[in-house]
């Protein structure tokens, strides 16, 4: 099955700095890579995703890159704000019949200091 | 967008009792729903895949007789934790839909 490694486990930055979270995966059949943000005690929310036919995707201050050859993908947050503080999970999944079941990384606790 | 509702949000039960958690898709039909378990400061671990009208598919190491899943309609899946013990205390969360929308989660505490 799929194995997703995520680093770092904690990340502390100053407001305005950039934050980068990296993940690797093991299953070459994985072709969908979502990222989730989970605030304390709340449900994970999908913030951005990327498919294997794309190398990079950007949405305002958030961007994700994918290197399928190396089997790694990264989340980049620029101009961080205190409200970005949360746990971020990467995930990887193959798609089958239009559906997918992601395997999650262990999470990165991002702390943005004002 | 897709909305997934989960109830209850919190439950405290005595050891040995059973607890039922509901997961509903409010604005779409879901033939498949997923149940996850999350320990504090840890990742989401898939417990089982709930299939409407058929048996759930359990992940390795998850006891199907302890975690009963019923998916009787296209909008409702239930997870029943039977004979709960303190080690079952956790955050249980469901998801459904193409966007893999999560429910709000259920914090189970077994005392």
């Amino acid at each position: 099955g799929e194995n997703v490694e995520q680093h770092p486990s904690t990340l502390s930055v100053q407001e305005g700095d950039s934050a980068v979270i990296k993940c690797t995966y093991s299953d070459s059949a994985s072709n969908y890579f979502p990222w989730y943000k989970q605030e304390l005690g709340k449900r994970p929310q999908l913030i951005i995703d990327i498919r294997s036919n794309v190398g990079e995707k950007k949405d305002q201050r958030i961007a994700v890159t994918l290197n399928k050859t190396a089997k790694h993908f990264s989340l980049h947050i620029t101009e961080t704000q205190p409200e970005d503080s949360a746990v971020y999970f990467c995930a990887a999944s193959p798609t089958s019949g239009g559906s997918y079941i992601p395997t999650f990384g262990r999470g990165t606790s991002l702390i943005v200091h004002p | 967008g897709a909305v997934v509702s989960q109830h209850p949000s919190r439950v405290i039960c005595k050891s040995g009792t059973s607890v039922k958690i509901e997961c509903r898709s409010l604005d779409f039909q879901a033939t498949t729903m997923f149940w996850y378990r999350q320990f504090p400061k840890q990742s989401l671990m898939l417990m089982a895949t709930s299939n409407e009208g058929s048996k759930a598919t359990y992940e390795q190491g998850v006891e199907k007789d302890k975690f009963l899943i019923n998916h009787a309609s296209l909008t409702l899946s239930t997870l029943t934790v039977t004979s709960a013990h303190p080690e079952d205390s956790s955050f249980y969360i469901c998801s459904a839909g193409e966007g893999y929308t999560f429910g709000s989660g259920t914090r189970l505490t077994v005392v």
Side-chain angles (χ1 to χ4, degrees):
Chain A
E2 178 64 272
N3 181 50
V4 177
E5 298 286 338
Q6 182 172 348
H7 299 280
S9 57
T10 58
L11 179 58
S12 184
V13 300
Q14 288 296 128
E15 182 177 2
D17 288 350
S18 295
V20 180
I21 302 171
K22 299 182 179 181
C23 290
T24 61
Y25 63 99
S26 61
D27 190 349
S28 57
S30 287
N31 54 11
Y32 179 66
F33 307 90
W35 286 86
Y36 294 86
K37 175 183 180 181
Q38 186 178 27
E39 297 177 4
L40 188 63
K42 297 187 177 180
R43 75 186 82 191
Q45 300 270 16
L46 178 68
I47 56 171
I48 195 168
D49 56 14
I50 191 168
R51 298 184 186 275
S52 60
N53 58 347
V54 176
E56 183 175 356
K57 184 176 179 180
K58 190 173 181 180
D59 182 4
Q60 299 182 347
R61 297 186 296 109
I62 295 173
V64 58
T65 59
L66 170 64
N67 183 329
K68 264 195 81 73
T69 302
K71 294 194 184 70
H72 61 71
F73 55 114
S74 301
L75 177 71
H76 303 251
I77 305 174
T78 59
E79 300 173 30
T80 54
Q81 301 167 4
E83 51 265 39
D84 294 329
S85 297
V87 178
Y88 291 80
F89 292 98
C90 64
S93 174
T95 52
S96 176
S99 63
Y100 63 99
I101 306 175
T103 299
F104 290 87
R106 294 180 63 84
T108 296
S109 178
L110 173 65
I111 303 168
V112 181
H113 299 282
Chain B
V3 178
V4 176
S5 173
Q6 187 173 340
H7 293 280
S9 59
R10 290 179 180 271
V11 59
I12 300 173
C13 70
K14 291 185 177 180
S15 188
T17 61
S18 296
V19 174
K20 180 184 284 189
I21 303 169
E22 293 187 347
C23 180
R24 294 180 184 272
S25 56
L26 297 186
D27 53 358
F28 65 100
Q29 294 181 331
T31 56
T32 303
M33 292 185 179
F34 305 95
W35 287 96
Y36 283 83
R37 183 173 182 177
Q38 186 178 32
F39 290 106
K41 298 184 179 181
Q42 294 194 22
S43 190
L44 298 140
M45 301 300 298
L46 180 65
M47 298 175 64
T49 301
S50 172
N51 304 298
E52 187 270 334
S54 64
K55 292 182 179 180
T57 304
Y58 289 82
E59 296 298 302
Q60 190 174 7
V62 178
E63 300 175 59
K64 61 181 180 181
D65 294 331
K66 181 169 183 62
F67 298 99
L68 300 179
I69 291 173
N70 185 286
H71 195 151
S73 78
L74 288 170
T75 59
L76 174 64
S77 175
T78 60
L79 168 68
T80 301
V81 183
T82 63
S83 187
H85 292 285
E87 56 265 31
D88 297 324
S89 299
S90 188
F91 189 60
Y92 294 86
I93 191 165
C94 66
S95 69
E98 291 184 359
Y100 216 76
T101 303
F102 284 93
S104 54
T106 298
R107 174 76 59 193
L108 171 63
T109 303
V110 184
V111 297

